Amino acid sequence: MTWILTGVAAMVTIISHTINRRTGDREVPLLLWAAVMGFVVLTALSYWASTTQNYGLDEVLRTGALGLLFMWIIRIGSDEKEGPLYMNKLLQVFCCTVIVACVIGILVYIFQPVNRAVGTFFDYRFHTDYWPNAWAEFLLLAWPILLYWILQDFKFNSKEDRSRVELLIRSIILGLVFGCLLLAYSRGAMLVFFAQIGLWAAIVYKKTQKDFPIQKVVPIAVILLAVSTITFLSVNSLRSQYYEVQNVQEKVTFTASEGTSSVSERGQFWAQSLNLALQKPLLGWGPYSFRFVQPQLQKDVLATSDHPHNVLLKILMERGVFALALFFVLIGIVSYRSAVVLLSKEVEVGTLTFSIRILMMVSLFGVLLHNMIDFNLQFVGIVLPFWLFFGMLMTYLDISSLQRVPARIARIVELLIATLLLIIALYEGGYLVVSSVGRLAEARGEEEVALVWYGRASGEFFKRDLLLSTAQIHTHRSDFAEAEKAVDAYMDANNQDFRALKRLGEIALIRGQKEKALDAYMSAYQKGKWNDLGVLLGIVEVHLAMDNKDEIQKLRPEIDGVIQKYSTAILSNTHFIAVSPNVEEFIAILNTMARLYPDDAPRYQVMAAKADHHALVERQRIESRPPGFLW
């Protein structure tokens, strides 16, 4: 989707600045334009200086594409005749999409073994790729826009009454959306939702004061509450015929499967991202680097993430302080001018422009607030409408007094960025297809075919884990020299990934290079000890191979501390660790320690037996679960 987004943004920009010059020549506020273009450039520079260059190119493309589309929608909206018509159609399409997504999401929730509604935020190819928090954030973005289109001709100060049938139909549609939000079981999203309601009510009340139509708002609110509750209960009732339904009380009281880890780990992520940001304050560690750099500061088992769960800290840690400053400028300009206009005495509540302004502001406020405790702007389905709506909100404001950037300068810069993005997307897009064919071949067990396709994709920049897959295949084929060569090439682009160091240790140990294996395993342990027990097992095995039992004795307090934490994690199935290979590696370490230290063998054996039993129960529970009915 990022590649499609990039192509669309580049073509729209090129056309608007060449063929459709009437749109491209419209001037935009200088400060806003400079902030957007500067943010795009700093993102590219951050990737150029990144320590994890095999990842992050997609974020560069997405940032550039969204910046171009943001400028484009502002220019479209500045057309007094065609602008409002075009944006109204865009909002209509979006609302229809929301309703369709809700219907799809309900079907997936009922007929698939996922215990939270995910809407259309899933990948059917992988049983773990469901994103309920992203779905909840999408609905936080969507419901105010949908409310505007459902009640757009309802005026707060009007004395006309809606027919009961019409009001019921509208309430059912909006209640369906609210019900889907409840089915996501997202505590953070519900808190943000109430904050959105409070903001909306506060602005309307301030504008209406004594004329606030409480007698009309309360009945509508009661109907919406009833419909959303019925949706929630009825859908859960249907799901219960096939799968277990999550207990609401357990979710609210933090006694569900994830317990309080989702809260405590966020605090750790925030502190760790600040720590990392201080180490590289100018350009950061690079886009998408948090996933690889954060484990070296990790404190608990599997307490890691792709992002810091905060959009500001993500930008600060990955792209640097100047990029964050430009992001503040960008958000601040629109937010400040929106607040000034909405609270102005000249704007009447009953006007149509006020209705869409206030609800669009509530929509964007909800997404920004939710991204303070979680980050889901990596999904095109969220970030694209978010920035389009942000640009649309800017067009509803009076920007005539703002200094404009000369059209010629804007045209040159934007055409240059669009052309570069298009070239990169076309170049990398071909390699993405080639490498994907190789991955499919590897999944089928056709390793020879996979190597051929991986070789053809060797020219790509956005390699991700391709070289690790290549190294794994060469290792299986006992071609250790080529396997080591692939790992070295991987580490040239990303020396922060403990998985590469672990692979290097495995290869060296097989080749009899014990000292090299120990160095690689120790480096991997420092960077990712709480994520893969295979690294610790490798360290123990290398010391045994070198007959260094004294070294194992020195490491014993460290080993006992690690296995105790893993034991607790397995017994509570933290992050579903009980169904991961960590269990087998945990048992192997305990069996080795029991042989080395007979006096403590009973303790180690009991821990191993408990872990083995609990893992067996968890795996049987998952295997006995009815399969998905849709795929």
Side-chain angles (χ1 to χ4, degrees), residues 561-574:
V562 171
I563 61 178
Q564 182 59 54
K565 279 204 170 186
Y566 269 92
S567 175
T568 302
I570 292 171
L571 294 180
S572 60
N573 198 22
T574 302

Side-chain angles (χ1 to χ4, degrees), residues 62-75:
R62 191 161 55 242
T63 301
L66 292 169
L68 294 176
L69 287 174
F70 181 64
M71 291 292 101
W72 170 78
I73 197 67
I74 289 178
R75 292 189 176 99

Side-chain angles (χ1 to χ4, degrees), residues 93-103 135 138-139 142-143 146 177:
V93 171
F94 176 75
C95 291
C96 293
T97 303
V98 174
I99 296 171
V100 172
C102 285
V103 174
W135 169 240
F138 176 76
L139 293 180
W143 77 260
L146 193 66
V177 175

